[in-house]
C-alpha cells in the first residue's frame, strides 16, 4: 500500500512510519515541523519514507503527495493545552483548517480509501462518573472557587455528593472542555462527513489516551506531562505536580499507539471510534514516582490547577480489543522504566528554510 502520513516526523507519527516501513509499505510523509514543537529536523527518521516538508494547510503542497495513495493516516495537529487561550487561532487553523484542506484535496481526487484519524480522549471532557444516589451523571465544569479551595473532585450535579469515576466507553457523551479538545472533536466530525459523502471511503478515529515514550518532545508548552516530569528530573529538580496528584489517566506507550494505527490502516475495516489505551489507570503522582531516578528528589505536590484540565479520564479497552483486534502490550511499569532513560526528541539539522548561523 501507498500510505500518506501527515505529521509523520512527529512523536507518534514517526513511530507509525517505522512500523509501516518494517511491513514494506510505500510511505509519503507531509510535515511542516512546526517550530512550536520542533527546533530542527528530528533524528531517527525512517530512511524508507519520502518526506515533504510542507504544511497541510497549503493545498498546493498536497498535490504530489496524494498521487497513488491508498490510505491516509492523519496525525498532523497542534496538541496539548498550549500556553493559554491566545493559542486558539493556531489550534483552529492547524487542526480544523488543516484537516479541511486535506479532505478537500482528497475530495478533488475522489479518494475512497481508508482514513485513520488521530483523535484524543479529550473529546470526552470529564470522564465517566457515577453517584450512589443518582447513578450515571454528567458533572458540570469545575468551578474556580472550588479549585481555589482545593476541592478538585467534581461533585454530583444533582445532590452535590461524591462521585466515583469509571472507565469511559466510546459511546459515552462527548463534552470537550478546552480549545484543543474542541478542535479534536471537530476533526472527528469532518472526517465522518467525508466518509458519508464519498461511498467506499472509510474512517477510523483513534482516541489516544496519555501517550508517552521515546521521541517525546521536551521543554515546550505542548509536551506531554510525562516528558515535562522527566525533564525536571534530568535538571535535578522535583517535578511540580498540580492539584493533589490524584488525577487519574490511562498512560499508553507510543509503540502500542503506532501499532493501533497500523492495524486500522491495514487490517479488516473497523470504523470505530476506538479508545487507544492500556486499560489500567494510574494517577499523575504515580506516574511521577514511576519516572523518578533513585537519586532524584521526590515529586512535589504543589496544589494549583489549570482551567480546562479535567480531573479523571481513563478508558475502556474492550471495543478496540473486540472490533479492531488491538490490545496494548506494554505495561505501565515496563514502559515507564524504559521511558525514564529513553531518548527524547533530538534534532539532526536546522528546520528546512531556517537561516544558518554566519560562519566565522
Amino acid at each position: 500500500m501507498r500510505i500518506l502520513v501527515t505529521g509523520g516526523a512527529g512523536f507518534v507519527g514517526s513511530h507509525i512510519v517505522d512500523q509501516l516501513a518494517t511491513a514494506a509499505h510505500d510511505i509519503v510523509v507531509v510535515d511542516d515541523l512546526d517550530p512550536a514543537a520542533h527546533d530542527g529536523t528530528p533524528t531517527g527518521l525512517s530512511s524508507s519514507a519520502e518526506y515533504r516538508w510542507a504544511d497541510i494547510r497549503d493545498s498546493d503542497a498536497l498535490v504530489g503527495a496524494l498521487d497513488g495513495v491508498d490510505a491516509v493516516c492523519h496525525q498532523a495537529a497542534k496538541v496539548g493545552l498550549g500556553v493559554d487561550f491566545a493559542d486558539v487561532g493556531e489550534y483552529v487553523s492547524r487542526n480544523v483548517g488543516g484537516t479541511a484542506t486535506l479532505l478537500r484535496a482528497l475530495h478533488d481526487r475522489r479518494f475512497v480509501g481508508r482514513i485513520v484519524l488521530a483523535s484524543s480522549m479529550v473529546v470526552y471532557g470529564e470522564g465517566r462518573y457515577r453517584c450512589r444516589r443518582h447513578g450515571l451523571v454528567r458533572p458540570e465544569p469545575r468551578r474556580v472557587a472550588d479549585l481555589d479551595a482545593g476541592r478538585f473532585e467534581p461533585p454530583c450535579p444533582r445532590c452535590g455528593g461524591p462521585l466515583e469515576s469509571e472507565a469511559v466507553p466510546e459511546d459515552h457523551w462527548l463534552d470537550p472542555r478546552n480549545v484543543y479538545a474542541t478542535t479534536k472533536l471537530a476533526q472527528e466530525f469532518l472526517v465522518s462527513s467525508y466518509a458519508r459523502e464519498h461511498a467506499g471511503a472509510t474512517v477510523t478515529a483513534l482516541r489516544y489516551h496519555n501517550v508517552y515514550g521515546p521521541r517525546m518532545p521536551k521543554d515546550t508548552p505542548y509536551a506531554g506531562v510525562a516528558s515535562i516530569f522527566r525533564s525536571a528530573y534530568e535538571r535535578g529538580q522535583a517535578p511540580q505536580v498540580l492539584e493533589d496528584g490524584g488525577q487519574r489517566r490511562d498512560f499508553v506507550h507510543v509503540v502500542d499507539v503506532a501499532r493501533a494505527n497500523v492495524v486500522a490502516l491495514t487490517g479488516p475495516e473497523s470504523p470505530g471510534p476506538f479508545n487507544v489505551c492500556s486499560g489500567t489507570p494510574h494517577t499523575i503522582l504515580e506516574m511521577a514516582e514511576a519516572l523518578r531516578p533513585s537519586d532524584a528528589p521526590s515529586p512535589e505536590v504543589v496544589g494549583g490547577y489549570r482551567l480546562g484540565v479535567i480531573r479523571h479520564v481513563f478508558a475502556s479497552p474492550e471495543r478496540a480489543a473486540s472490533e479492531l483486534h488491538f490490545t496494548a502490550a506494554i505495561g505501565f511499569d515496563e514502559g515507564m522504566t524504559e521511558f525514564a532513560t529513553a531518548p527524547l526528541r533530538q534534532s539532526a539539522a536546522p528546520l528546512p528554510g531556517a537561516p544558518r548561523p554566519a560562519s566565522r
Side-chain angles (χ1 to χ4, degrees):
M1 293 174 65
R2 180 168 174 81
I3 301 172
L4 168 66
V5 183
T6 70
F11 171 41
V12 177
S14 64
H15 285 275
I16 295 170
V17 170
D18 286 350
Q19 293 188 23
L20 290 172
T22 298
H25 291 286
D26 184 13
I27 310 152
V28 57
V29 169
V30 175
D31 196 311
D32 73 341
L33 299 177
D34 178 9
H38 295 269
D39 59 6
T41 306
T43 58
L45 297 180
S46 173
S47 61
S48 300
E50 171 192 346
Y51 290 89
R52 294 172 177 252
W53 305 125
D55 193 326
I56 62 167
R57 294 172 293 180
D58 178 3
S59 57
D60 291 339
L62 295 171
V63 173
L66 290 172
D67 291 348
V69 162
D70 302 297
V72 175
C73 187
H74 184 27
Q75 304 293 313
K78 194 175 189 71
V79 302
L81 281 180
V83 178
D84 56 30
F85 196 84
D87 281 334
V88 61
E90 272 292 287
Y91 274 103
V92 173
S93 177
R94 288 185 172 276
N95 297 359
V96 182
T99 300
T101 302
L102 172 63
L103 294 174
R104 171 60 192 271
L106 293 172
H107 168 76
D108 289 344
R109 287 155 184 79
R110 291 168 172 74
F111 175 83
V112 291
R114 295 193 194 188
I115 303 173
V116 175
L117 171 69
S119 187
S120 171
M121 53 87 174
V122 295
V123 301
Y124 298 120
E126 279 291 345
R128 185 178 179 93
Y129 291 86
R130 191 173 299 276
C131 174
R132 291 181 182 178
R133 290 179 58 191
H134 298 107
L136 191 65
V137 296
R138 184 174 185 168
E140 297 173 352
R142 295 191 293 172
R143 298 181 302 177
V144 170
D146 287 336
L147 296 171
D148 285 343
R151 295 188 294 269
F152 302 119
E153 295 288 343
C156 175
R158 297 180 62 183
C159 67
L163 298 176
E164 294 291 332
S165 54
E166 300 179 352
V168 179
E170 288 84 351
D171 60 359
H172 193 65
W173 55 65
L174 304 178
D175 187 17
R177 295 195 172 186
N178 56 55
V179 170
Y180 171 59
T182 302
T183 64
K184 296 309 287 184
L185 185 54
Q187 286 183 310
E188 286 198 23
F189 287 154
L190 285 170
V191 295
S192 295
S193 295
Y194 184 92
R196 282 194 296 270
E197 296 189 25
H198 297 79
T202 60
V203 167
T204 303
L206 301 178
R207 292 174 180 164
Y208 301 167
H209 285 252
N210 283 64
V211 188
Y212 71 97
R215 303 180 199 161
M216 283 190 85
K218 59 180 179 179
D219 302 328
T220 87
Y222 311 96
V225 65
S227 173
I228 293 170
F229 286 178
R230 214 197 89 165
S231 292
Y233 285 132
E234 289 179 345
R235 295 191 300 269
Q237 299 173 349
Q240 306 289 292
V241 181
L242 295 181
E243 301 188 16
D244 59 2
Q247 310 94 304
R248 298 174 79 193
R249 300 289 188 271
D250 187 307
F251 296 95
V252 58
H253 196 279
V254 67
V255 169
D256 281 326
V257 175
R259 183 165 53 83
N261 278 271
V262 174
V263 170
L265 287 163
T266 63
E269 290 184 0
S270 302
F274 296 107
N275 289 323
V276 177
C277 62
S278 72
T280 306
H282 291 272
T283 68
I284 297 293
L285 184 57
E286 286 172 339
M287 185 270 291
E289 290 283 7
L291 287 176
R292 184 168 70 94
S294 58
D295 58 348
S298 296
E300 183 179 354
V301 178
V302 297
Y305 58 89
R306 289 193 70 183
L307 282 175
V309 174
I310 56 84
R311 178 64 176 176
H312 304 296
V313 61
F314 51 94
S316 167
E318 293 178 5
R319 184 175 181 182
S322 64
E323 298 181 24
L324 187 62
H325 306 295
F326 165 78
T327 301
I330 300 175
F332 179 80
D333 292 337
E334 174 192 357
M336 288 296 171
T337 298
E338 178 223 27
F339 179 58
T341 58
L344 298 177
R345 179 177 294 162
Q346 301 178 34
S347 299
L351 290 170
R356 295 182 177 276
S359 57
R360 298 186 179 184

